[in-house]
Amino acid sequence: MCRHLAWLGSPVSVASLVLDPPSGLLVQSYAPRRQKHGLMNADGWGVGFFDHSVPRRWRSATPLWGDASFASVAPALVSHCVVAAVRSASVGMSIEPSASAPFTDGTWLLSHNGIVDRAALPASTRAESTNDSALLAALIFDRGMDRLAETVVEVAADDPNARLNILAADGARLIATTWGDTLSVLRRDDGVVLASEPYDDDPAWQEIPDRHLVQATATCVQLTPLKGP
Ligand code: GLN
């Protein structure tokens, strides 16, 4: 399992979202507060952001806390839309940069927090890696992001033990699902944050209930219940 975060709003630095907050992804990589599965997230990390409409990524298979080069550059990476994750690889999954979220189809940046039996997913030639999250991302991209809710419910029917927490952005909107793990939303004056867990103790953070679809713009957050099998 992993921890992930997305931002949509005014341009802000990647460091201000990921490294600076007292319980941001950097701290969550070794001391997550609400993670239900796994103790830490040391198997890699990824930061994706939109450069105008172009998604750009920096991914690694090493712990976020050890990357001094990223820490040096992150304050200068500024974007209106960011998707970032720290990874705890599931047993048997490869540990390599291309297995770290966010995945992309050239339009969307997408992170998966959870686990799914790879036998429940179709083989894909467009998957970026062989881990479950990369295969799931490829399936979601193939089906289309507008059908995310449907795809999650179908995969859950094929693997009832799956945990399918998706977080994605296309530069203009955020879309997420809760299916087996935590997600919180923070509405700020300058935009919106969706994160596996609050990055600080601001009382404005609100928890998203399990089995929901979340659709957000910088000013509006909409929740829809997902109907299980
Ligand atoms: N199943 C995921 C993997 O190993 C676990 C990490 C995550 O929650 N994305 O790739």
Side-chain angles (χ1 to χ4, degrees):
M1 296 292 274
C2 305
R3 304 276 81 185
H4 53 203
L5 167 144
W7 165 255
L8 181 63
S10 303
V12 297
S13 78
V14 166
S16 74
L17 295 170
V18 173
L19 302 181
D20 302 342
S23 297
L25 284 181
L26 172 60
V27 173
Q28 289 170 35
S29 69
Y30 55 84
R33 297 190 291 177
R34 299 217 182 148
Q35 191 158 339
K36 291 183 176 170
H37 303 269
L39 295 175
M40 59 201 301
N41 301 285
D43 298 320
W45 57 271
V47 166
F49 58 93
F50 286 85
D51 170 12
H52 301 283
S53 60
V54 180
R56 301 195 187 280
R57 293 179 295 168
W58 186 344
R59 296 184 292 167
S60 165
T62 59
L64 181 56
W65 67 77
D67 201 321
S69 297
F70 176 71
S72 168
V73 173
L77 299 176
V78 172
S79 176
H80 70 286
C81 186
V82 175
V83 177
V86 289
R87 179 174 183 225
S88 169
S90 301
V91 173
M93 303 294 168
S94 55
I95 297 179
E96 55 186 5
S98 58
S100 294
F103 306 97
T104 190
D105 63 351
T107 301
W108 288 87
L109 292 167
L110 183 148
S111 173
H112 167 231
N113 163 21
I115 189 165
V116 54
D117 184 348
R118 286 179 285 185
L121 301 173
S124 170
T125 50
R126 72 187 278 179
E128 293 183 47
S129 186
T130 55
N131 61 322
D132 56 348
S133 300
L135 289 171
L136 179 63
L139 176 67
I140 291 168
F141 291 145
D142 279 344
R143 295 278 184 89
M145 288 302 297
D146 289 338
R147 294 173 65 198
L148 175 65
E150 197 182 320
T151 305
V152 163
V153 169
E154 275 177 35
V155 171
D158 289 341
D159 177 7
N161 296 319
R163 298 191 295 271
L164 303 164
N165 307 279
I166 302 296
L167 182 56
D170 69 354
R173 56 191 169 135
L174 305 182
I175 183 163
T177 58
T178 52
W179 195 284
D181 209 331
T182 52
L183 186 72
S184 292
V185 59
L186 177 66
R187 295 172 175 86
R188 294 182 5 185
D189 290 342
D190 56 346
V192 63
V193 185
L194 288 175
S196 300
E197 53 189 80
Y199 59 50
D200 61 17
D201 291 329
D202 188 330
W205 284 97
Q206 292 177 307
E207 263 185 66
I208 309 281
D210 197 31
R211 299 200 173 189
H212 276 69
L213 175 74
V214 186
Q215 291 167 286
T217 63
T219 54
C220 176
V221 179
Q222 192 187 335
L223 301 190
T224 313
L226 293 170
K227 295 267 181 289

